[in-house]
Amino acid sequence: MALRLHNTLTRRVEPFAPLDPVAGPTMYLCGPTVYNYVHIGNARGPVVFDVLAALLRRRYGALRYARNITDVDDKINAAAREAGVPISDITERFTAVYLEEMAALGVEPQSLQPKATEHIPQIIAMIERLIERGNAYAAEGHVLFSVGSYPDYGKLSRQSPEDMLAGARVDVAPYKQDPGDFVLWKPSTDDLPGWESPWGRGRPGWHIECSAMAEAHLGDTIDIHAGGVDLQFPHHENEVAQSECAHGGKPFARFWLHNGMLVFGGSKMSKSLGNVERIHTLLERYPGRSEALRYALLSAHYRQPLDWTPALVDQSIRTLDRLYGTLRDLSDVEATPVIPQSIEDMLDDDLNTPQALAEIARLAGEARKAEGADARREAKSALLGAGLALGLLQRAPSEWIEGVTSNDDDARIQGLIDERIAAKAAKDFARADAIRRQLADDGILLEDTPQGVRWKRA
């Protein structure tokens, strides 16, 4: 099966092939604005598209993959002002934190990680081109993109300019020729970061940064542009407009991939709503269990919303307990990971990670039943390969299992045993049996004795 991806631009699942098969595919992912800790919803794109990046490298042998760092932004300025520190202290600190957290989630480092502040000349050059072509204009120290100059504006989000303006928080400033025009460059006061430009000292708008960085590292037309669905408008819509105008009408991105949002407490996870789970908090809450966070992020199809709950993480931990337990039981077998064709086919189907995770569970079941040296080696090879395709099961089983036998997990097990005792006392035998089965699935064996319940690990 050829790789097929859902293209937001056409609203269809389409066969993918790179524009230049010799040089290999190009991909751009919108990265973080580094002014604070990011929440787990911000990790869904990097994790999901990390799986895609690995697939593209296997398929084509090379991949030029850029994920930017936005290190000039009004939110950064406000954070530095509130903390009473230089802006660079904020950006350097939270860039490092972000990279550490992505590494903890198993996200491979990108070969290209452009920063906005390192591309000011390219940004200015692109703005100058847009002005020369009549797509942008200078006004009161600002430069704005003229939405009316681009007839295809709205083709990505498929909304009319009027509908987009009504549904967005747009600053209708007096210097705008049209209320929907957006900022490419804005003036900076002495207390704000700024660079000299033909329009005075200032700094770039958010949207132009990505267009200029993508052009600088990946060319005028890129194969895949990815990001969260919340960025579709206005950010990605504006990227399309300014890039295609700057490049004489050439397509900016051939495929647009958008991941769905995380839902927490019934609402979209968002800093503005205050219903966020920050990655660094989750890493502290689940020490040694960052792989379970990755598993959880892959548990729903990337285009669908994902309901993030403690139960989801707990279930992911228990699933990995069983999978690593299977690999521990095969520790006497030497095997090299080989990705099964079934896994490749599922990922070729628009990154169907839920189906791939179900296939991993099936392969683990086959591995537990395998008999004979050859069958056990093949089963272990397939299980390791399937995990490798999703960035899972690459640790030594003992490393994972030692974490399971921590005091924290002992307390969890005892809590379930106490709940089972209470259920039996209340004659809720169905619940008591369900808890016994849950513990058995986790590899915990119970023994009812006159002195009470004893438990041990299988």
Side-chain angles (χ1 to χ4, degrees):
M1 181 187 296
L3 174 60
R4 293 169 57 82
L5 298 170
H6 183 271
N7 189 350
T8 305
L9 188 63
T10 62
R11 303 299 195 271
R12 294 195 303 266
V13 176
E14 301 175 341
F16 172 82
L19 188 63
D20 185 343
V22 176
T26 55
M27 184 162 74
Y28 187 94
L29 174 63
C30 286
T33 300
V34 284
Y35 69 97
N36 205 334
Y37 295 102
V38 299
H39 62 72
I40 189 66
N42 299 132
R44 192 179 192 189
V47 166
V48 165
F49 298 121
D50 183 60
V51 174
L52 175 59
L55 187 157
L56 292 171
R57 291 187 186 101
R58 290 195 302 275
R59 198 64 48 85
Y60 298 104
L63 170 68
R64 286 181 291 158
Y65 181 16
R67 183 185 66 203
N68 74 292
I69 298 289
T70 295
D71 58 349
V72 54
D73 187 88
D74 289 344
K75 293 177 181 177
I76 298 171
N77 301 338
R81 191 180 305 114
E82 182 178 344
V85 299
I87 287 169
S88 59
D89 286 6
I90 297 292
T91 57
E92 290 172 8
R93 174 191 176 192
F94 287 110
T95 296
V97 167
Y98 178 79
L99 296 178
E100 289 170 4
E101 291 175 349
M102 292 302 103
L105 296 176
V107 176
E108 287 292 318
Q110 276 68 43
S111 57
L112 299 169
Q113 192 164 268
K115 295 181 178 180
T117 56
E118 296 173 355
H119 292 77
I120 300 300
Q122 292 92 333
I123 291 170
I124 291 174
M126 181 173 277
I127 294 173
E128 287 179 320
R129 258 181 285 154
L130 290 169
I131 293 175
E132 290 169 3
R133 296 181 181 194
N135 300 113
Y137 58 93
E140 299 183 23
H142 296 75
V143 180
L144 298 107
F145 183 87
S146 173
V147 170
S149 72
Y150 180 58
D152 285 339
Y153 191 75
K155 69 177 181 179
L156 180 64
S157 57
R158 297 202 175 181
Q159 300 181 70
S160 69
E162 294 77 16
D163 290 341
M164 287 185 285
L165 184 62
R169 293 175 293 178
V170 176
D171 178 20
V172 184
Y175 47 78
K176 287 187 175 184
Q177 294 177 0
D178 183 276
D181 293 349
F182 57 88
V183 171
L184 303 175
W185 189 265
K186 52 190 170 183
S188 292
T189 55
D190 291 341
D191 60 326
L192 293 174
W195 292 263
E196 292 303 323
S197 79
W199 319 285
R201 184 176 180 275
R203 61 198 190 278
W206 175 34
H207 311 301
I208 193 68
E209 297 171 3
C210 285
S211 286
M213 288 186 281
E215 177 193 70
H217 295 280
L218 304 177
D220 290 356
T221 299
I222 60 179
D223 287 310
I224 298 171
H225 194 310
V229 68
D230 58 321
L231 298 180
Q232 187 173 312
F233 178 81
H235 185 50
H236 291 164
E237 194 73 68
N238 291 351
E239 280 189 78
V240 172
Q242 62 202 8
S243 293
E244 297 194 354
C245 288
H247 300 149
K250 293 180 186 175
F252 173 44
R254 299 171 57 238
F255 280 75
W256 283 89
L257 274 59
H258 289 100
N259 62 272
M261 306 300 293
L262 259 62
V263 177
F264 187 71
S267 301
K268 181 191 81 170
M269 190 177 289
S270 167
K271 293 186 183 76
S272 62
L273 297 176
N275 63 340
V276 298
E277 284 270 31
R278 298 191 188 279
I279 297 174
H280 83 102
T281 303
L282 289 167
L283 293 174
E284 292 172 355
R285 187 181 305 158
Y286 300 100
R289 291 292 171 265
S290 58
E291 189 172 341
L293 304 179
R294 181 183 178 96
Y295 187 103
L297 288 168
L298 295 172
S299 63
H301 192 274
Y302 78 93
R303 287 194 283 118
Q304 301 302 317
L306 173 61
D307 192 9
W308 188 267
T309 64
L312 173 65
V313 180
D314 289 341
Q315 180 59 50
S316 299
I317 291 172
R318 289 195 296 270
T319 300
L320 287 168
D321 287 347
R322 291 193 292 274
L323 294 173
Y324 273 112
T326 300
L327 290 172
R328 175 197 57 193
D329 295 342
L330 294 167
S331 58
D332 59 319
V333 178
E334 292 289 334
T336 301
V338 175
I339 299 174
Q341 188 59 47
S342 59
I343 292 289
E344 294 282 24
D345 289 344
M346 291 164 186
L347 296 181
D348 278 346
D349 183 19
D350 194 29
L351 301 179
N352 195 332
T353 58
Q355 192 175 0
L357 292 175
E359 177 68 358
I360 287 176
R362 189 192 70 78
L363 291 169
E366 293 295 318
R368 286 191 289 271
K369 294 184 293 185
E371 296 181 0
D374 289 345
R376 296 178 76 225
R377 181 169 55 253
E378 289 177 9
K380 182 176 182 180
S381 177
L383 181 55
L384 286 172
L388 177 63
L390 279 83
L392 302 169
L393 302 180
Q394 302 308 298
R395 302 166 64 178
S398 58
E399 182 183 333
W400 176 270
I401 292 166
E402 284 170 7
V404 173
T405 59
S406 67
N407 291 334
D408 287 344
D409 199 59
D410 289 355
R412 180 184 68 85
I413 293 167
Q414 188 59 53
L416 287 170
I417 290 172
D418 292 343
E419 183 182 347
R420 176 175 174 268
I421 292 170
K424 290 178 70 175
K427 300 190 183 302
D428 186 355
F429 299 113
R431 176 58 184 156
D433 288 345
I435 293 172
R436 177 186 278 276
R437 288 194 298 272
Q438 177 182 340
L439 289 168
D441 287 343
D442 291 349
I444 306 301
L445 303 181
L446 302 183
E447 181 183 1
D448 292 312
T449 73
Q451 292 77 35
V453 179
R454 294 175 179 171
W455 64 272
K456 63 179 180 180
R457 290 184 172 83

